[in-house]
Amino acid sequence: MRLVHLDLKGAAPRVSYLEQVFPLLSQLGANGILIEYEDMFPFKGELEILKSPYAYSEEDVERIQQLAELHKLEVVPLVQTFGHVEFILKHEKYQHLREVERFPNSFNPHVPDTLVLLKSILSQVIEKHGRSTWIHIGADEVFHLGEGMDSKNWMSHNRGDMGTMYLKHIKEVLSFITTQYRGRRALMWDDMLRKISVGALRGEAGDGSGGTRAGVSAVLVRVATPAGVLPSGRQEPTPGPAGTRVSGEHEEPQASSCHWHQYDHYSVLCELLPVGIPSLAICLQTLVNGGFTEETKRKVLDTLGFQSMELEQSTCEGRGAFPGAEIYHMVEQVNGHLKESILKALEEESAIKGWFSPYHRKRQFGNPRNMESFGSKVLKLHEDWESFVRDLRAHLERVYFPDTVEEWMEENINPYLDQLRALVRDYR
């Protein structure tokens, strides 16, 4: 399986954009999509509180699966069942389920309500993915596990083995899935398992000698995004051997190419999907060809419509012909020129420093002769960037919901453009 992991906890794309992207992913060698919905899933009933105002509708979720099927991509839904549950535990309603009261990161595995809630969440997601043979239970980065009083008490009575405590909760989750949804195979991330002793793994997961099988078909390993070809993005440490197995059936190694929209539910946006596509293309073709060969590079260039790319310089030459290529280039412009051009105008223009300082602007006085020496240049710079930002916003609105567009603008444009806007306003 070569899965592209869409982490929708921020900057979730509109379904109309996925319609353009799925054929590209298939062409580049993906055969599945790992979808971490978080608050973008259309939860119902008591779980409705978890939904984002821009959550996908039930029709959207069905459409995503139809599109995936059309392009021979298997959909694997991901439900976080231990850590990375800020979108749940931030709500007062579920605050009592936190491992540590102050932090909304991880579930307390000792409170019965935790499993009751997880069963409800898993049921809603699994039942909306009737075509899927897999369910991914996340289970990575369970921050603060063992720090809560319930966990400390449990460990004091169980030889202090945090690995066994972790596996006990995972086994309960898996037991529900295998009992309730026969034939559904489970995946999980590998990072927490690496810290657990072989003895604990054998004892909890079962080693064929009387232990109970936990029902994990395979453990999924993230493949690092190559350092390059992105104006910005998160780099993951390169993983160990793909396809580490816990127990269950013998599966081929699994690998996934990750695209983060946010590091966690509270962080700023990392990168936009169109910006990450060149790196994603390299990941997929490297997986297909077993290395970053000349053949890999040529296929990526031809598919994306670039003339050349330099990984060391993080650059792609050419217009590009992939969905969202305009956004890719416009983000490059923002990262490469916006801040630099505005700070240069504001800090290096002697007439501004000498005759239109914060002191002058606050008291609203200045010599017109000196102001005219920089006015036309500043007005032109302002007009050019405002025009550019209008175009960028229009492109972003075709791909993203309003909350993403606003957040991206506030984080990446406004800190610099607002300085120029304020200067122009005072000048006028």
Side-chain angles (χ1 to χ4, degrees):
M1 292 174 78
R2 291 185 294 274
L3 301 174
V4 173
H5 174 199
L6 290 179
D7 185 351
L8 304 181
K9 63 169 65 75
R14 295 179 186 272
V15 177
S16 55
Y17 182 66
L18 295 177
E19 197 168 339
Q20 301 172 59
V21 169
F22 281 9
L24 175 68
L25 300 182
S26 184
Q27 195 181 346
L28 288 165
N31 56 18
I33 307 288
L34 179 66
I35 305 183
E36 187 168 356
Y37 286 101
E38 284 232 350
D39 57 359
M40 287 302 291
F41 188 79
F43 290 109
K44 292 194 300 190
E46 283 197 6
L47 300 181
E48 202 166 339
I49 191 175
L50 303 178
K51 271 169 51 175
S52 156
Y54 299 101
Y56 294 140
S57 65
E58 291 184 28
E59 292 73 26
D60 289 334
V61 171
E62 177 58 27
R63 179 72 181 134
I64 288 168
Q65 293 175 88
Q66 288 171 355
L67 290 168
E69 195 170 36
L70 184 65
H71 299 290
K72 298 182 171 53
L73 298 167
E74 178 159 7
V75 173
V76 180
L78 189 158
V79 174
Q80 286 288 0
T81 56
F82 215 157
H84 285 299
V85 284
E86 295 91 345
F87 84 104
I88 299 168
L89 298 183
K90 70 178 183 182
H91 295 285
E92 195 177 342
K93 181 178 178 180
Y94 300 118
Q95 207 167 329
H96 66 291
L97 303 181
R98 296 176 177 185
E99 167 71 355
V100 176
E101 192 181 345
R102 292 202 319 281
F103 306 133
N105 306 72
S106 307
F107 278 124
N108 177 346
H110 311 285
V111 180
D113 282 357
T114 292
L115 201 59
V116 171
L117 176 62
L118 282 173
K119 286 177 178 179
S120 179
I121 291 171
L122 282 161
S123 295
Q124 288 202 20
V125 173
I126 291 172
E127 281 159 22
K128 281 279 173 283
H129 291 82
R131 301 171 177 80
S132 301
T133 55
W134 296 91
I135 177 72
H136 196 304
I137 62 164
D140 59 318
E141 297 182 338
V142 188
F143 299 135
H144 309 292
L145 182 62
E147 293 176 22
M149 281 311 299
D150 290 345
S151 288
K152 285 177 179 173
N153 291 336
W154 189 92
M155 287 193 292
S156 71
H157 294 100
N158 291 272
R159 301 194 302 277
D161 194 334
M162 194 158 1
T164 301
M165 185 173 73
Y166 170 84
L167 289 168
K168 180 176 177 293
H169 174 72
I170 294 304
K171 203 167 87 171
E172 286 172 340
V173 170
L174 293 167
S175 175
F176 167 72
I177 293 166
T178 52
T179 306
Q180 202 71 21
Y181 300 97
R182 295 190 181 280
R184 190 69 57 127
R185 294 186 289 178
L187 283 164
M188 63 188 287
W189 294 124
D190 71 316
D191 60 300
M192 295 292 290
L193 295 168
R194 293 185 190 195
K195 304 168 191 169
I196 297 174
S197 69
V198 173
L201 283 169
R202 282 188 174 141
E204 280 298 316
D207 59 358
S209 59
T212 307
R213 287 199 179 278
V216 178
S217 292
V219 177
L220 199 60
V221 180
R222 295 183 179 99
V223 173
T225 302
V229 204
L230 284 109
S232 65
R234 166 176 174 171
Q235 303 301 324
E236 270 293 287
T238 304
T244 316
R245 285 187 290 273
V246 182
S247 69
E249 307 126 54
H250 292 287
E251 297 293 339
E252 289 301 307
Q254 321 291 324
S256 88
S257 187
C258 303
H259 170 72
W260 274 274
H261 292 128
Q262 286 178 310
Y263 304 138
D264 73 28
H265 190 72
Y266 285 91
S267 77
V268 295
L269 298 173
C270 306
E271 65 180 6
L272 301 173
L273 180 51
V275 175
I277 281 179
S279 285
L280 182 56
I282 291 168
C283 277
L284 284 168
Q285 275 298 296
T286 300
L287 280 172
V288 169
N289 296 317
F292 187 61
T293 60
E294 277 304 311
E295 182 192 350
T296 305
K297 193 171 176 178
R298 176 49 45 204
K299 167 81 173 179
V300 170
L301 290 173
D302 290 348
T303 306
L304 300 184
F306 286 127
Q307 273 75 58
S308 65
M309 58 170 56
E310 295 298 330
L311 260 62
E312 291 75 13
Q313 281 76 44
S314 300
T315 57
C316 294
E317 297 300 323
R319 284 309 307 158
F322 59 91
E326 306 89 352
I327 292 174
Y328 175 87
H329 286 296
M330 293 178 99
V331 170
E332 270 191 323
Q333 288 291 310
V334 169
N335 287 343
H337 304 294
L338 177 69
K339 179 180 178 181
E340 182 190 358
S341 69
I342 290 174
L343 294 184
K344 189 174 181 184
L346 299 187
E347 292 172 10
E348 293 181 18
E349 182 64 60
S350 62
I352 292 178
K353 291 180 82 171
W355 282 270
F356 202 56
S357 71
Y359 182 86
H360 292 90
R361 291 167 62 184
K362 187 177 179 181
R363 288 158 182 80
Q364 298 188 325
F365 81 97
N367 188 329
R369 177 180 176 276
N370 301 93
M371 289 172 68
E372 282 174 12
S373 69
F374 67 79
S376 58
K377 192 191 301 183
V378 165
L379 290 173
K380 175 78 166 66
L381 182 67
H382 174 250
E383 189 184 317
D384 288 349
W385 276 119
E386 291 287 14
S387 170
F388 172 89
V389 167
R390 279 193 297 274
D391 286 350
L392 174 57
R393 180 182 282 277
H395 283 295
L396 288 174
E397 284 172 349
R398 288 185 203 118
V399 174
Y400 293 108
F401 298 100
D403 59 337
T404 299
V405 177
E406 290 312 317
E407 183 178 346
W408 200 89
M409 289 290 182
E410 279 191 41
E411 286 288 334
N412 297 281
I413 303 286
N414 296 356
Y416 312 109
L417 194 50
D418 280 353
Q419 294 179 54
L420 185 59
R421 286 165 176 158
L423 183 87
V424 168
R425 186 178 63 241
D426 290 350
Y427 172 84
R428 284 185 174 139

